[in-house]
Each structure stands twice: as structure tokens, then as C-alpha cells.
Amino acid sequence: MRIGYLETFCQVVEEGNISKVAKNNFITQPAITKQIRQLETLYGTQLFERNNGNLVVTTTGKRLYEIAKQLVFDYNQSFAMIDQVKGIESSSLKIGASFTIAEYILPHVLGEFKKIHSNIDITLEVSSTPNILHRLRENKIGMALVEGEVYTDEDLIVNKFAEDELVLVCSPDHRTFALSQSVRVEDLSHEKFIWREENSGTRLLVEKMLGENWSDIINIYMELGSTQAIKGAVEINLGVAILSSLVIDTELKQNMLKKINIENVELKRDLWAVQRKERFVNKLEGEFIKFIKNYQF
């Protein structure tokens, strides 16, 4: 049996679609099917079944997947480790980042890093913090750069690389806040909040800081899928929002948004660089982690 067969099997489990895996690997669909059948013959069990036209992994297939993905991971790690011992440096950096970090921090950081390592290839995946951490645990990326809550466990190495402040913003034409520099928490209950989706790092952190009664304070008027959309909605006075200070610098300078302090409330969060403990960290990844920790934001 070839390790490539197990890798193909894992991809089919993850994608749930043989034709997509074939397309991603530039091989034919029958070739994928043949590899799966050879594995089924080797293990003497059915790994997939068809259910109303959908490909469904069997119970034995699920158990094999848990072992196979680790075998494939260790196999690929062995090459990375030996290459480094031989003095062959990796030229590929695979990073996952949450939306705010990807949009407002990494363009500058990666640009500066590329000036030092001009011949490297950088792949960046962008999603919510939970999705990016899932991709890290599935070995699809080498490191995760995320904000908000990161629940450490035995599998992860978590390092703080920067700090961010969350601030309340409104339109300069806001009916009550336009002439204010600060407001009380109880004043917020009368406002229409423009908010991100439920699993966004910013939203989870604010809900935690405001406590279990946050829903009595925050009146969710609108949920939007991007920070840029939220800024636009606040600018035209549809409501107020709590946003990262990293994303509103231009709007504040151009008087498109107004920052309001919340009395006796400090909304700060750490930005995290996360890696898997058991994963071999190549020299390039190690240099990037050191670079971003020392970067002047």
C-alpha cells in the first residue's frame, strides 16, 4: 500500500466528493475510485457507501480516517525534518488568519517579511477564529493568527504577538453621541448595534466582557458579514458598533466615524499566534513567528 492512497482516502472523507478530489489532484475520477477500492480490499471492509446519491463514510471508514490522517501528517513531517537537517530550507509558508488580522495587519507584515525572504511562497487562508483553529488541527495550515478566545489544550502552542483595543464608534451625526466623549454602559441599551456574525472573535469577546446580561445591553439591529460593511452602515448613521481600533484609523482621521469611550469599561484583547505542539516547525515558520512578535504595530 502506498501512503498516497491513504492521503487520497483522507481527502475524499474531507471533501465528500470523489470528482472534486480528482480535480484538485489533476487525476481522473476512476483513478481515485481504484485507490479507494484497493484500500477496501486491503482492510476487508467498505469505507464509503452511497446514500441518496451522496458519498457517506462508513463507521470503519471514520475509524481509519483518524489513524490515516495522522500517518499522512507524520509522513510529510519526516520529509520536512530531514530537509532541514540536510540544510534544505522550506520555501513555503501556510498561514491561516481571522478576518481582522488578515485584512488590516497581515498585508503590511507579509510585505515586510517578503523583503527579507523574497523567494518564498505564502498561502493565506482567511476565516473566523474557530474555523482557522480547526484548519490548524487538521494540519491544513502551519500556523494560525487569530483574535479573541483561544482555549489552550495539550495540542496547541499559543503565543501573544500583539494587543488590540475594541472601541465604540458612531456616526459624527449621531443624535445623542455626536457631542459626547464618553457614555455609560446603560446608555447603550437604547442604541441599534451593527454586529458581526455569532462566532466572530470581536463579538464573542464583547459578550464575555459584558457578562451574562449582555443581551439586555446590546440591541442587535443588524448582522453583517464583514467589517467594511459594518463601518459603512455606521457611517450613514444606521446604528453604532464596537470595532477593533486597528480597522478604524482612516475613518477617524477623515471624520467619517466618531470614537466614544464607555465609562469604566476597557475592551482589550490579545492577538495570538497558534501552532500545533506535535508539528515539526521548520526554520521559515520559526523566523516568521519571531518576526511578527517583534513587529511594531
Side-chain angles (χ1 to χ4, degrees), residues 9 13 47-49 55-63 65:
F9 164 71
V13 172
L47 300 176
F48 297 96
E49 58 186 18
L55 193 67
V56 180
V57 62
T58 63
T59 300
T60 51
K62 291 177 181 178
R63 295 296 299 272
Y65 171 71

Side-chain angles (χ1 to χ4, degrees), residues 123-142:
T123 301
L124 175 63
E125 291 192 25
V126 183
S127 189
S128 65
T129 292
N131 287 341
I132 289 299
L133 292 178
H134 176 73
R135 294 289 287 173
L136 179 69
R137 288 188 171 95
E138 291 294 310
N139 304 310
K140 301 303 181 183
I141 53 176

Side-chain angles (χ1 to χ4, degrees), residues 15-260:
E15 296 290 350
N17 187 298
I18 289 179
S19 61
K20 187 173 182 179
V21 174
K23 183 178 179 180
N24 290 342
N25 290 279
F26 303 102
I27 56 179
T28 64
Q29 188 170 332
I32 298 290
T33 302
K34 181 179 179 181
Q35 291 184 28
I36 297 300
R37 287 177 177 169
Q38 287 181 342
L39 285 177
E40 290 178 329
T41 299
L42 177 65
Y43 288 108
T45 187
Q46 187 176 359
L47 300 176
F48 297 96
E49 58 186 18
R50 290 282 180 179
N51 186 3
N52 296 324
N54 297 318
L55 193 67
V56 180
V57 62
T58 63
T59 300
T60 51
K62 291 177 181 178
R63 295 296 299 272
L64 176 62
Y65 171 71
E66 294 303 317
I67 298 173
K69 68 178 181 179
Q70 188 63 47
L71 288 172
V72 171
F73 173 71
D74 290 340
Y75 178 76
N76 292 330
Q77 287 286 281
S78 69
F79 284 96
M81 181 184 66
I82 295 300
D83 281 346
Q84 184 153 306
V85 172
K86 292 162 60 178
I88 302 174
E89 295 187 9
S90 174
S91 61
S92 178
L93 193 62
K94 293 185 178 181
I95 303 171
S98 52
F99 292 106
T100 299
I101 294 174
E103 293 177 23
Y104 297 96
I105 292 181
L106 282 184
H108 302 286
V109 174
L110 294 178
E112 293 298 319
F113 193 69
K114 281 281 285 184
K115 291 179 181 178
I116 303 172
H117 303 274
S118 58
N119 295 322
I120 65 172
D121 296 319
I122 299 176
T123 301
L124 175 63
E125 291 192 25
V126 183
S127 189
S128 65
T129 292
N131 287 341
I132 289 299
L133 292 178
H134 176 73
R135 294 289 287 173
L136 179 69
R137 288 188 171 95
E138 291 294 310
N139 304 310
K140 301 303 181 183
I141 53 176
M143 70 184 74
L145 302 175
V146 295
E147 74 252 25
E149 293 291 327
V150 178
Y151 299 100
T152 57
D153 54 39
E154 296 180 355
D155 297 329
L156 300 179
I157 301 172
V158 182
N159 288 297
K160 174 182 175 180
F161 71 87
E163 190 176 82
D164 181 27
E165 180 184 12
L166 302 177
V167 298
L168 175 68
V169 293
C170 67
S171 165
D173 299 321
H174 191 278
R175 68 189 188 286
T176 56
F177 293 169
L179 301 178
S180 302
Q181 296 303 316
S182 64
V183 296
R184 299 170 303 170
V185 171
E186 49 266 36
D187 295 331
L188 301 181
S189 62
H190 305 295
E191 298 304 318
K192 297 178 179 179
F193 271 81
I194 315 296
W195 216 232
R196 283 290 299 272
E197 67 279 3
E198 289 186 9
N199 64 346
S200 78
T202 300
R203 178 167 173 173
L204 291 173
L205 181 62
V206 173
E207 290 175 359
K208 180 180 179 181
M209 288 182 169
L210 293 179
E212 61 182 17
N213 295 323
W214 71 268
S215 59
D216 296 330
I217 302 170
I218 301 296
N219 171 25
I220 301 177
Y221 175 66
M222 191 180 298
E223 290 184 351
L224 300 177
S226 76
T227 299
Q228 198 63 41
I230 293 175
K231 289 193 292 184
V234 175
E235 286 173 17
I236 62 174
N237 214 4
L238 291 180
V240 301
I242 295 177
L243 295 173
S244 163
S245 60
L246 296 169
V247 312
I248 58 172
D249 185 60
T250 299
E251 287 79 8
L252 291 179
K253 289 179 179 178
Q254 296 179 357
N255 198 35
M256 299 165 68
L257 293 175
K258 178 180 173 62
K259 174 183 174 181
I260 304 292

